[in-house]
Amino acid sequence: MIDGREPIYVATSTDRKYLPYTAAMVHSLARSRHPATRIELTIMHVGVPQADRQKVEHAAGGVAIQWVLIDVDRYRRWGLPIDPVVLTPHYFRCVLAHVYPASTQRVIYLDADTLVVDDLTPLWHWPLARRPLAAAGDLMSVVRDAIGHWHEIGLDGDAPYFNSGVLVIDLAQWREERIGERVMRQCQADRHRLLIRNRWPQHDQYGFNVVLQHRWARLDERWNHFPERRSARPGIVHFLGDTKPGAPRTRPEFTRMFTTAIDATAWAGWRPPATAQ
């Protein structure tokens, strides 16, 4: 049961390349937070120097931040596979059940390239209906569009396919069913099949959709809004794939939103390459 008095636990993952996005996300998280909402943000990272961590923290505005270095030693202590395929920040959401203590029952995971527009309280209380996570649909709406070999591995090709960039997670179920480990091992086993249409990398998203088919609750799309689409009221904007700020498919209002956020951080003036993935 989620205690209304406890903070909202949020997690993200990053490396030095994605630090500007991370800083903009942290600023947006702080700015959108209702004054009564307490947020504790865990940033899982690879090799982010202390000086850069402090720069990110300057954008936190009332959001408590802890940094957790994820490396081979931690994977080894947790009994996880030591494999380059799953040792990148794309897979760090898979280890959340290890990062948080057993007393933490729920966490919101956000990709670093998101901006938070609304207070996260409604998302925090999203009903999971005894399912391990809640997520929004992906640009690829059904499994057959994203996983070409769906029939070979016994999937339902018409099942909805979700995006893993924004997740509401039941950590107790993750621990009980070892979901993170199963997702990582699925991606290891199918490492040669992690591209959509031989172009777009799925990373962990592939494993989550294989392992949890028909076992996820659906979020309203406003909580993982793709910036190529119009929206009068997004809750979280997600600059995924080739819709980074300034990219041709990204709507200008969302590029402006990112520019405002990044210019309020230590990375003021930074602009991403339009083709960055």
Side-chain angles (χ1 to χ4, degrees):
M1 181 176 181
I2 302 302
D3 186 342
R5 296 169 297 178
E6 71 176 345
I8 293 175
Y9 297 105
V10 180
T12 191
S13 54
T14 194
D15 54 19
R16 296 191 74 177
K17 175 184 174 183
Y18 264 69
L19 273 181
Y21 289 108
T22 307
M25 186 272 283
V26 169
H27 170 77
S28 71
L29 183 60
R31 187 174 182 183
S32 64
R33 178 182 66 92
H34 187 278
T37 303
R38 292 192 299 132
I39 294 177
E40 293 187 7
L41 172 65
T42 296
I43 303 178
M44 301 173 288
H45 73 100
V46 176
V48 176
Q50 181 64 33
D52 284 338
R53 294 184 225 170
Q54 292 174 347
K55 290 179 183 178
V56 172
E57 290 169 7
H58 288 159
V63 173
I65 295 180
Q66 70 163 340
W67 295 81
V68 177
L69 173 66
I70 308 293
D71 58 12
V72 169
D73 288 341
R74 281 192 186 268
Y75 270 50
R76 186 173 290 116
R77 290 199 301 272
W78 292 332
L80 299 177
I82 310 300
D83 186 330
V85 171
V86 295
L87 275 168
T88 67
H90 300 103
Y91 291 88
F92 289 173
R93 76 204 80 191
C94 296
V95 305
L96 285 168
H98 297 278
V99 169
Y100 283 94
S103 58
T104 304
Q105 300 179 28
R106 179 175 287 211
V107 63
I108 296 171
Y109 179 86
L110 304 178
D111 271 354
D113 55 359
T114 58
L115 289 180
V116 181
V117 183
D118 268 0
D119 182 86
L120 293 181
T121 300
L123 189 61
W124 178 246
H125 292 287
W126 199 269
L128 297 183
R130 298 185 179 180
R131 294 178 179 179
L133 61 79
D138 190 65
L139 289 168
M140 303 295 170
S141 60
V142 295
V143 164
R144 71 173 68 248
D145 292 338
I147 302 175
H149 59 285
W150 57 272
H151 55 291
E152 297 176 31
I153 55 176
L155 297 181
D156 174 2
D158 296 319
Y161 182 84
F162 68 86
N163 182 275
S164 65
V166 177
L167 302 174
V168 182
I169 296 168
D170 182 331
L171 285 174
Q173 274 195 269
W174 277 42
R175 295 185 185 102
E176 181 180 349
E177 299 182 32
R178 301 185 68 83
I179 287 170
E181 290 90 329
R182 289 164 58 197
V183 168
M184 294 166 81
R185 294 193 185 281
Q186 186 74 49
C187 292
Q188 282 182 290
D190 293 342
R191 67 184 70 210
H192 59 296
R193 290 171 155 174
L194 299 181
L195 294 179
I196 295 176
R197 299 177 183 174
N198 295 317
R199 178 178 177 186
W200 296 290
Q202 297 177 82
H203 303 296
D204 65 294
Q205 185 168 289
Y206 168 88
F208 278 114
N209 276 276
V210 172
V211 171
L212 296 178
Q213 182 167 99
H214 296 305
R215 293 198 62 218
W216 54 281
R218 183 176 283 275
L219 292 177
D220 190 287
E221 303 298 322
R222 69 181 295 267
W223 290 113
N224 190 354
H225 179 73
F226 304 145
E228 65 181 34
R229 299 172 175 171
R230 292 181 182 272
S231 177
R233 192 171 161 264
I236 296 171
V237 178
H238 182 191
F239 296 96
L240 74 168
D242 56 3
T243 58
K244 293 292 187 282
R249 290 172 53 201
T250 300
R251 295 189 60 80
E253 60 265 33
F254 298 121
T255 293
R256 289 193 296 270
M257 185 183 292
F258 177 84
T259 299
T260 299
I262 195 71
D263 285 350
T265 76
W267 281 267
W270 184 87
R271 300 293 182 267
T275 57
Q277 297 292 311

